[in-house]
Amino acid sequence: MRHVAAPILRQALGGVVWALLCSPAWALPLTLVSDHDAEDHITIGVFLQPDLSVRLAEDSEATSRLRVRNARLDLRGAVFASRASYRLHFNFAPGGPELFDAWIAGRFGDGWSIRAGRDLVPHHAQWETNPATQVFPERSQLVRTWGVPSGRDAGLSLRHEGTRHAFAAGVYQGSTGASHQTLGHHLYAARMTLALIGPHTLTEYPTQAATTPSVVLGVALLTALDNTWVDHSLGLTSTPAAGDVYRAVLDLRIRCAGLSLYLEAAAAHTRFQEDDAQDAARTGLAAGVSAAWLVPALPPSVLALRWGTLDHDLARQEAAMRGHEWGASWTRLHKGTHWLSRLSYLGEFNAGAAAASPVAVRRTTHTVMLDHILQY
């Protein structure tokens, strides 16, 4: 137990100082420019997220980390009577300035737009909104394994937004990742969300009791040709091999009173060339659910639970993968999703198979995290 308790004790004092610095009593409004009423406007947004985490992995010592997870600057605007819009989005933590988004868009018709530049790829629900509107600091295992790394890429997309639906489809260059690992020569993605009942609500957090129940369905398709990104094609193995990747995602958001329920399911198929003589195909299935309950108080709190599972190519017992995740979180909403403090626990089990052994990799990890978000 000493290797578990020692890092926790070492971080106790730092955690107290961190909590005091991040408490709402010290937080000041960070809205710099806001003029949404004007047709031509510019808005500067700020997103800060420090966190303190303790991680225990099977067969290894516990580790702890105190960091600034996100320090983002978001510049958005519209010109020419809002017929054109743009966005520049940077993250200055944890490894230095990183360009998240840089796009321009032109509007035409009734709710239609064309967007060009680096932008979120329309493929998973948890990439539609920023981390402040999600009930856990980490996206689900399904998204982290099969989603586009960082969720973004440079490309061209066609979009339409209505009162009860949203649609986006685009082609992207697939250059995310290391030089020898790409998302394919071309990446194609399309996603549509439709409000089956009530309003078109996309956030997970029930910041206030819903006066009208809502059910929103999401469907997405993603194709990456000549993909060599390891997590997209070969599960837990480390040798990239070119392949054509296909993903289909189905998700459902349900809001009723103080309850928010999110369900997701996905199917994956990868066809790649193992060697010069043989083609191989691999398939996978994944599912997950998270539920959040609003606890009335001043300020209110949110309790949440998560569970998920992922099976990738288990029949072949080569480069196979099986994963499970579970978690719980408690969030105090100081001012909706503008100010919040969150304590979360996430557990994850992963097992991988290789040709030489039915189970070559088997690991369970537990992570406890305390994070705070300021967003304006």
Side-chain angles (χ1 to χ4, degrees), residues 33-36 40-46 72-79 84-89 101 103 107 115 119-120 128-130 152 161 375-376:
V33 179
S34 181
D35 189 11
H36 292 289
D40 296 348
H41 64 267
I42 179 172
T43 302
I44 298 177
V46 177
R72 303 187 189 184
L73 181 64
D74 192 1
L75 174 66
R76 304 177 188 233
V79 294
S85 57
Y86 57 89
R87 183 182 187 187
L88 287 174
H89 185 195
D101 302 285
W103 53 259
R107 300 180 182 276
R115 188 179 296 182
D119 189 19
L120 289 169
E128 288 178 338
T129 55
N130 65 42
R152 296 167 166 86
E161 294 184 7
Q375 177 184 236
Y376 291 94

Side-chain angles (χ1 to χ4, degrees), residues 219-257:
V219 180
L221 299 173
L222 181 144
T223 300
L225 304 179
D226 294 327
N227 174 292
T228 57
W229 187 262
V230 172
D231 286 344
H232 285 62
S233 57
L234 300 181
L236 293 179
T237 61
S238 59
T239 303
D244 296 334
V245 175
Y246 306 92
R247 301 281 187 262
V249 181
L250 183 69
D251 54 79
L252 197 66
R253 294 181 176 96
I254 302 173
R255 289 287 307 276
C256 182

Side-chain angles (χ1 to χ4, degrees), residues 114-346:
I114 294 179
R115 188 179 296 182
R118 180 172 173 80
D119 189 19
L120 289 169
V121 177
H123 65 307
H124 279 289
Q126 291 186 27
W127 282 113
E128 288 178 338
T129 55
N130 65 42
T133 64
Q134 299 174 19
V135 294
F136 284 90
E138 297 285 356
R139 291 178 172 88
S140 68
Q141 185 182 53
L142 186 160
V143 175
R144 286 181 281 114
T145 304
W146 287 346
V148 175
S150 82
R152 296 167 166 86
D153 198 4
L156 181 70
S157 62
L158 174 67
R159 298 170 181 265
H160 184 267
E161 294 184 7
T163 57
R164 298 183 59 81
H165 74 277
F167 168 80
V171 55
Y172 300 86
Q173 65 181 15
S175 62
T176 303
S179 59
H180 66 288
Q181 295 179 353
T182 70
L183 297 175
H185 294 313
H186 290 293
L187 179 70
Y188 305 92
R191 177 167 174 81
M192 182 172 184
T193 56
L194 176 65
L196 303 179
I197 300 175
H200 188 249
T201 303
L202 297 182
T203 59
E204 290 184 28
Y205 265 124
T207 55
Q208 58 185 6
T211 57
T212 304
S214 67
V215 178
V216 179
L217 174 69
V219 180
L221 299 173
L222 181 144
T223 300
L225 304 179
D226 294 327
N227 174 292
T228 57
W229 187 262
V230 172
D231 286 344
H232 285 62
S233 57
L234 300 181
L236 293 179
T237 61
S238 59
T239 303
D244 296 334
V245 175
Y246 306 92
R247 301 281 187 262
V249 181
L250 183 69
D251 54 79
L252 197 66
R253 294 181 176 96
I254 302 173
R255 289 287 307 276
C256 182
L259 172 67
S260 177
L261 188 64
Y262 171 70
L263 302 96
E264 62 179 355
H269 180 79
T270 302
R271 176 168 291 279
F272 65 97
Q273 185 135 352
E274 284 186 317
D275 50 48
D276 295 335
Q278 181 181 9
D279 287 333
R282 297 178 178 176
T283 59
L285 296 173
V289 59
S290 65
W293 295 269
L294 178 67
V295 180
L298 291 175
S301 299
V302 174
L303 297 176
L305 298 174
R306 170 190 280 178
W307 175 87
T309 183
L310 185 148
D311 289 339
H312 190 99
D313 194 36
L314 294 181
R316 290 178 54 84
Q317 290 193 345
E318 296 178 13
M321 175 181 175
R322 167 172 288 167
H324 304 292
E325 67 171 348
W326 56 95
S329 71
W330 171 82
T331 306
R332 193 160 181 91
L333 303 171
H334 305 295
K335 189 179 179 182
T337 55
H338 290 292
W339 290 351
L340 64 86
S341 301
R342 176 172 52 200
L343 177 65
S344 63
Y345 160 76
L346 286 173

